[in-house]
Amino acid sequence: PLSQRALERAVTKHSDDQITVLYVINPIFAVYEAEAKGLPAAKNWYERMKERADEICATATKQADKRDCEITTAIEIGDPTRAILEYADEHGTEHIIIGSHGREGVSRLVLGSVAERVMQQAPMAVTIVW
């Protein structure tokens, strides 16, 4: 929902700009899944994540189409912060709009905040949508 809110802001406020929806598949979740459900459950992890990423990108495209806004979608694999920043750098991105869960306390310490790290490290403008 927060990513959808970020996309809504992008297509509303920046509809004349080139907008790319980036989905990052984080391989660390394969480890979590293997530990929680056993190695056999994690075997097809990438295929399931890729399918999920494709679904999310298709949903984003439909959401943008409703606003008569054309977007590009991309899927990367890796640490989300690093992947977002590398993608932005390689593609000359001038502005990143990202959703944030707004985690606090222990969950923030354990899970971190991709949005916050992107904001701190990005050389371009970053808008965090709550």
Side-chain angles (χ1 to χ4, degrees):
L2 295 169
S3 295
Q4 288 176 336
R5 201 177 290 164
L7 176 58
E8 186 66 24
R9 180 175 177 93
V11 299
T12 301
K13 303 273 186 187
H14 305 277
S15 61
D16 292 335
D17 295 336
Q18 180 181 342
I19 298 172
T20 300
V21 171
L22 176 62
Y23 186 92
V24 180
I25 297 173
N26 189 347
I28 195 70
F29 290 121
V31 175
Y32 295 155
E33 189 168 316
E35 287 185 7
K37 299 178 183 176
L39 205 49
K43 186 175 183 180
N44 296 325
W45 173 85
Y46 175 75
E47 290 79 14
R48 289 193 313 275
M49 290 303 298
K50 176 69 166 82
E51 188 175 300
R52 177 75 177 131
D54 289 337
E55 290 171 4
I56 289 171
C57 287
T59 299
T61 299
K62 289 177 188 173
Q63 184 178 344
D65 286 347
K66 288 179 184 177
R67 294 281 193 172
D68 291 325
C69 185
E70 188 175 318
I71 65 168
T72 302
T73 61
I75 299 169
E76 296 289 327
I77 302 168
D79 170 72
T81 302
R82 185 175 298 130
I84 291 166
L85 294 172
E86 287 176 1
Y87 187 93
D89 181 57
E90 290 169 7
H91 292 85
T93 301
E94 296 176 6
H95 188 184
I96 296 172
I97 300 175
I98 188 169
S100 175
H101 292 287
R103 291 187 177 102
E104 295 179 352
V106 174
S107 66
R108 182 180 178 139
L109 290 174
V110 173
L111 299 172
S113 173
V114 171
E116 183 177 357
R117 288 191 304 268
V118 167
M119 181 185 68
Q120 291 171 344
Q121 297 175 29
M124 69 284 294
V126 176
T127 300
I128 299 177
V129 178
W130 303 91

